[in-house]
Amino acid sequence: MKPHISTKNLSVWYGEHHVLNNISIDIPDKKITVIIGPSGCGKTTLLKSFNRLIELQDGVKISGKVLLDGEDIYDPSCDITHLRKKMGLLFQKPQVLPMSIYENVAYGLRIHGTKDKEELDYSVEHYLKEASLWNEVKDRLNTSAWKLSIGQQQRLCLARGMAIEPEVILGDEPTAALDPISAERIEQRFLGLKNKYSIVLVTHILRQARRLADYVIFLYFGNLIEHGPAEAVFNHPKDPRTQAYIDGRFFEEHTS
């Protein structure tokens, strides 16, 4: 599979704490890649290394490379604003802006220079439809986004992220705070969007990983244990630690 993002010997420290240890991995283009592993194993750190959000934390040290379309995003010449335009990001809790539903979607478009009202109207409608939200909000676009349900807010964040036309959608447990019906809607949108975007998700839910993943990365204590096509990792894992984790035996065997 053609890689869209690649890491080469990526290591990350938070102060003296070594969080990621020499991670070399290829993230395939226009597939859903799911990062699994127990809490504290470095999943979110790996995800945030892809758009350099980890640099916002104090005491972070990074070595190695992260390549996006073959270019090292940690090279001093990299334009971080341009890089982050290529990356949409969904957090566990929806991060809606304190403004109307319409302006949440239009916000990024305005920042990147779109001023024409007709063009903004078209784009807001288009991306709300892409996020399967348009029919629910089309008659109240000027009301506060905070009045939406949490599931609707997460789909609004998805629409806002897509509006700046990224190449990659990153999700840090994007359904963790949602009820099952809202979570399923988000999952269905990911499945419908993967032909347009490379999607990288962190999840603690193995059932969700099985439903969504084309490619799987398994981390444990900052180490890359196994990666590959989802069918191979879930049904024929090469490392016994992967099999133990999938079977729910991981903690029992490794914490006694």
Side-chain angles (χ1 to χ4, degrees):
M1 292 182 285
K2 177 186 174 184
H4 194 166
I5 304 170
S6 298
T7 69
K8 306 294 184 185
N9 299 316
L10 176 68
S11 290
V12 177
W13 293 260
Y14 295 147
E16 298 299 316
H17 180 41
H18 198 175
V19 183
L20 292 178
N21 182 32
N22 289 322
I23 306 294
S24 294
I25 190 77
D26 291 330
I27 305 294
D29 187 28
K30 293 183 173 61
K31 303 287 184 183
I32 297 178
T33 297
V34 175
I35 307 172
I36 62 172
S39 295
C41 69
K43 301 187 299 296
T44 295
T45 296
L46 179 60
L47 188 80
K48 290 183 177 180
S49 74
F50 298 152
N51 66 355
R52 294 181 56 171
L53 272 183
I54 55 172
E55 292 180 310
L56 300 179
Q57 295 180 246
D58 293 334
V60 171
K61 187 174 97 174
I62 302 159
S63 68
K65 294 182 177 181
V66 177
L67 307 177
L68 177 64
D69 297 323
E71 297 184 13
D72 184 7
I73 69 172
Y74 285 94
D75 188 280
S77 65
C78 177
D79 182 336
I80 298 179
T81 301
H82 181 66
L83 165 69
R84 290 182 181 152
K85 186 177 184 295
K86 294 183 177 183
M87 304 267 186
L89 177 61
L90 293 177
F91 295 94
Q92 292 183 32
K93 184 178 179 181
Q95 304 289 307
V96 297
L97 301 174
M99 53 185 66
S100 70
I101 296 166
Y102 181 99
E103 289 299 332
N104 262 268
V105 183
Y107 180 79
L109 295 165
R110 294 186 194 279
I111 285 179
H112 292 287
T114 303
K115 293 182 171 57
D116 182 75
K117 180 67 163 59
E118 187 174 333
E119 185 177 351
L120 286 170
D121 288 348
Y122 171 82
S123 295
V124 168
E125 179 176 346
H126 173 74
Y127 289 107
L128 286 172
K129 285 179 177 177
E130 284 282 273
S132 295
L133 189 57
W134 173 252
N135 288 336
E136 298 169 45
V137 302
K138 62 183 179 181
D139 297 323
R140 48 178 175 145
L141 293 176
N142 293 320
T143 61
S144 171
W146 284 343
K147 293 184 178 180
L148 296 174
S149 71
I150 192 167
Q152 290 172 324
Q153 287 181 16
Q154 192 67 303
R155 281 182 284 150
L156 179 62
C157 291
L158 179 60
R160 188 180 70 216
M162 290 189 293
I164 61 172
E165 299 184 345
E167 298 177 9
V168 179
I169 295 174
L170 306 175
D172 185 10
E173 298 190 71
T175 66
L178 307 184
D179 63 86
I181 293 174
S182 297
E184 182 181 11
R185 287 176 176 168
I186 290 288
E187 287 185 10
Q188 290 303 313
R189 289 320 303 142
F190 287 148
L191 291 169
L193 292 167
K194 70 178 182 179
N195 63 327
K196 298 180 182 179
Y197 307 92
S198 300
I199 300 175
V200 188
L201 306 174
V202 166
T203 185
H204 280 104
I205 307 169
L206 284 175
R207 294 188 306 278
Q208 183 177 70
R210 288 181 181 273
R211 287 193 297 267
L212 295 179
D214 298 302
Y215 200 83
V216 174
I217 298 170
F218 175 47
L219 297 180
Y220 181 61
F221 285 142
N223 294 301
L224 177 61
I225 304 301
E226 187 162 352
H227 61 96
E231 191 278 334
V233 172
F234 285 129
N235 298 322
H236 308 287
K238 297 176 181 177
D239 193 292
R241 289 169 291 182
T242 310
Q243 185 68 67
Y245 182 73
I246 291 169
D247 291 345
R249 296 183 286 110
F250 198 87
F251 298 102
E252 182 179 323
E253 291 187 3
H254 290 268
T255 59
S256 58

